Amino acid sequence: MPDAIEVRKVPIHSVADASELAKLIDDGVLHAERVVAIIGKTEGNGGVNDYTRIIADRAFREVLVEKGAPADQVKQVPIVWSGGTDGVISPHATIFATVPPEDVTPSDEPRLTVGFAMSEQLLPEDIGRTPMITKVADAVKVAMEKAGITDPADVHYVQTKTPLLTIHTIRDAKSRGKTVWTEETHQSMDLSNGCTALGIAVALGEIDMPSDDDVMHDRSLFSSVASCSSGVELDQAQVVVVGNAPGVGGRYRIGHSVMTDALDQDGIWNAIRDAGLELPERPHTSDLDGRLVNVFLKCEASQDGQVRGRRNAMLDDSDVHWHRQIKACVGGVTAAVTGDPAVFVSVSAAHQGPDGGGPVAAIVDLG
């Protein structure tokens, strides 16, 4: 049986700041050697060359080592950064740590559990194709096992980080006589995320195994729990599975839903309800009563260029990429629900939730 989980959200005061993590450890809320995953937002451009992710990664790992966690262990901790805090989204991190068994009150009620795995190496020629789907699906199953989850229905959030294509990796593939799905590095961000989401959906039985032709084309194929991010930091799929399991104990529980479009506040409220909070029919931020830890969303501009029958210009805008526009929009909608701009809203949601919408996961403190 996996250990119970303590989860806390902390602000990031500057690009290289991890002081709030240090404070949690100093105050005895978390143990440095028990941190098992960190998921956060950094304030860079969210693109291929967003190095704020690397800076934040280094800052948080250095604090863990400084506070007593073994350096070799810290290197293996999955830390997933989503770049870009467009609009009102505030830089922050959500930290997951196991709780010593002697500090946990046992419970048969389903409570938060986390599992982690790394896939086989993803070659540049794999990205966007079925070998990537298979490798990701295999890693998801390993992470589920580590989380103590046997029923895919108990998985409510799968956060991944995968490689995208760069000029260097494209050149490497060509030098070995291989082809790549695209030579546009920014487009490869959407591609890597979408293909990864299909791997998650296959692992959880949400869809059958798709073909190469389905990737980025058949948007009816999606996962309702996938949250996929990509960058230049690694050459494997880093997979964090978050769900509920009976017997682990602890105070926290996770639930999920989907936003059907960029304005779907009900999708966010439904995820919070699914996590276990009782809410009135027309809820208000005050009904959360400080019990919402965080929400995690993916968003995507609808392929038809419309929201609720009204056209928008995001996909035609040559000045500001639609990634930044939809992220700012959904970030504002989400903060209006939660009352807190420190929300995890990430863009590039191909095959993650319905077209124009996206998955929502919510973690609540049940006391």
Side-chain angles (χ1 to χ4, degrees), residues 4-42:
I5 298 292
E6 179 67 37
V7 55
R8 295 294 178 99
K9 180 172 69 176
V10 298
I12 297 175
H13 301 298
S14 66
V15 174
D17 172 61
S19 61
E20 297 291 343
L21 169 61
K23 189 179 298 183
L24 286 176
I25 296 170
D26 290 342
D27 292 345
V29 177
L30 306 175
H31 300 273
E33 71 278 6
R34 284 186 166 272
V35 171
V36 294
I38 299 173
I39 298 171
K41 291 294 298 182
T42 66

Side-chain angles (χ1 to χ4, degrees), residues 317-338:
D317 196 329
S318 298
D319 295 315
V320 181
H321 195 276
W322 66 263
H323 275 195
R324 311 201 71 164
Q325 298 189 47
I326 192 66
K327 193 189 310 176
C329 169
V330 174
V333 170
T334 306
V337 168
T338 65

Side-chain angles (χ1 to χ4, degrees), residues 41-53 81-86 161 164 185-186 189-190 193 229-231 298 321 323-324 327 345-348:
K41 291 294 298 182
T42 66
E43 60 204 82
N45 61 24
V48 175
N49 64 333
D50 183 353
Y51 298 109
T52 64
R53 297 185 296 240
W81 297 108
S82 170
T85 51
D86 303 83
K161 191 77 176 189
L164 44 71
T185 57
H186 197 271
M189 179 184 299
D190 297 337
N193 292 355
S229 183
S230 52
K298 291 294 292 189
H321 195 276
H323 275 195
R324 311 201 71 164
K327 193 189 310 176
V345 177
S346 176
V347 75
S348 187

Side-chain angles (χ1 to χ4, degrees), residues 53-82:
R53 297 185 296 240
I54 296 174
I55 295 169
D57 188 273
R58 178 179 298 173
F60 275 71
R61 292 187 196 276
E62 286 176 351
V63 163
L64 292 176
V65 172
E66 177 188 323
K67 297 299 180 181
D72 288 344
Q73 176 184 319
V74 170
K75 288 179 182 177
Q76 301 304 314
V77 174
I79 302 183
V80 179
W81 297 108
S82 170

Side-chain angles (χ1 to χ4, degrees), residues 36-39 78-80 96 114-117 143 157-161 238-242:
V36 294
I38 299 173
I39 298 171
I79 302 183
V80 179
F96 299 81
V114 176
F116 166 67
Y157 177 47
V158 182
Q159 178 65 59
T160 63
K161 191 77 176 189
Q238 182 174 269
V239 179
V240 181
V241 166
V242 189

Side-chain angles (χ1 to χ4, degrees), residues 117-367:
M118 296 291 285
S119 77
E120 293 181 41
Q121 182 184 13
L122 291 168
L123 300 171
E125 58 266 29
D126 294 340
I127 296 174
R129 294 168 175 157
T130 49
M132 183 179 192
I133 295 173
T134 300
K135 291 177 181 180
V136 169
D138 289 345
V140 170
K141 293 174 183 176
V142 172
M144 281 179 61
E145 183 177 354
K146 290 183 177 179
I149 297 174
T150 56
D151 186 350
D154 291 326
V155 175
H156 295 275
Y157 177 47
V158 182
Q159 178 65 59
T160 63
K161 191 77 176 189
T162 51
L164 44 71
L165 292 168
T166 65
I167 296 301
H168 172 75
T169 57
I170 292 170
R171 190 165 56 240
D172 169 65
K174 288 182 175 181
S175 72
R176 293 180 287 104
K178 304 295 184 180
T179 63
V180 293
W181 199 94
T182 179
E183 294 191 21
E184 295 184 18
T185 57
H186 197 271
Q187 183 188 36
S188 76
M189 179 184 299
D190 297 337
L191 174 67
S192 181
N193 292 355
C195 194
T196 301
L198 291 174
I200 294 167
V202 167
L204 300 180
E206 295 178 282
I207 63 170
D208 294 329
M209 183 69 184
S211 68
D212 282 350
D213 291 339
D214 292 325
V215 179
M216 302 302 288
H217 293 120
D218 186 351
R219 297 302 181 100
S220 70
L221 302 176
F222 64 82
S223 170
S224 295
V225 298
S227 177
C228 305
S229 183
S230 52
V232 297
E233 305 97 306
L234 71 178
D235 63 358
Q236 297 167 275
Q238 182 174 269
V239 179
V240 181
V241 166
V242 189
N244 299 313
V248 297
R251 297 161 40 193
Y252 303 96
R253 186 170 168 176
I254 187 170
H256 80 276
S257 184
V258 296
M259 292 179 76
T260 56
D261 62 35
L263 302 179
D264 183 17
Q265 292 191 9
D266 287 341
I268 303 170
W269 287 118
N270 289 339
I272 297 169
R273 285 192 179 94
D274 191 54
L277 282 192
E278 293 187 10
L279 297 169
E281 183 179 350
R282 291 178 62 82
H284 182 267
T285 301
S286 59
D287 296 314
L288 297 173
D289 196 27
R291 297 170 70 187
L292 177 66
V293 178
N294 205 2
V295 289
F296 305 84
L297 300 88
K298 291 294 292 189
C299 58
E300 181 93 349
S302 179
Q303 297 273 292
D304 65 7
Q306 298 185 46
V307 174
R308 301 194 181 182
R310 299 286 193 181
R311 76 177 185 91
N312 59 72
M314 283 189 287
L315 297 177
D316 290 324
D317 196 329
S318 298
D319 295 315
V320 181
H321 195 276
W322 66 263
H323 275 195
R324 311 201 71 164
Q325 298 189 47
I326 192 66
K327 193 189 310 176
C329 169
V330 174
V333 170
T334 306
V337 168
T338 65
D340 181 0
V343 289
F344 187 92
V345 177
S346 176
V347 75
S348 187
H351 301 298
Q352 298 153 77
D355 180 40
V360 188
I363 296 176
V364 301
D365 184 349
L366 297 178

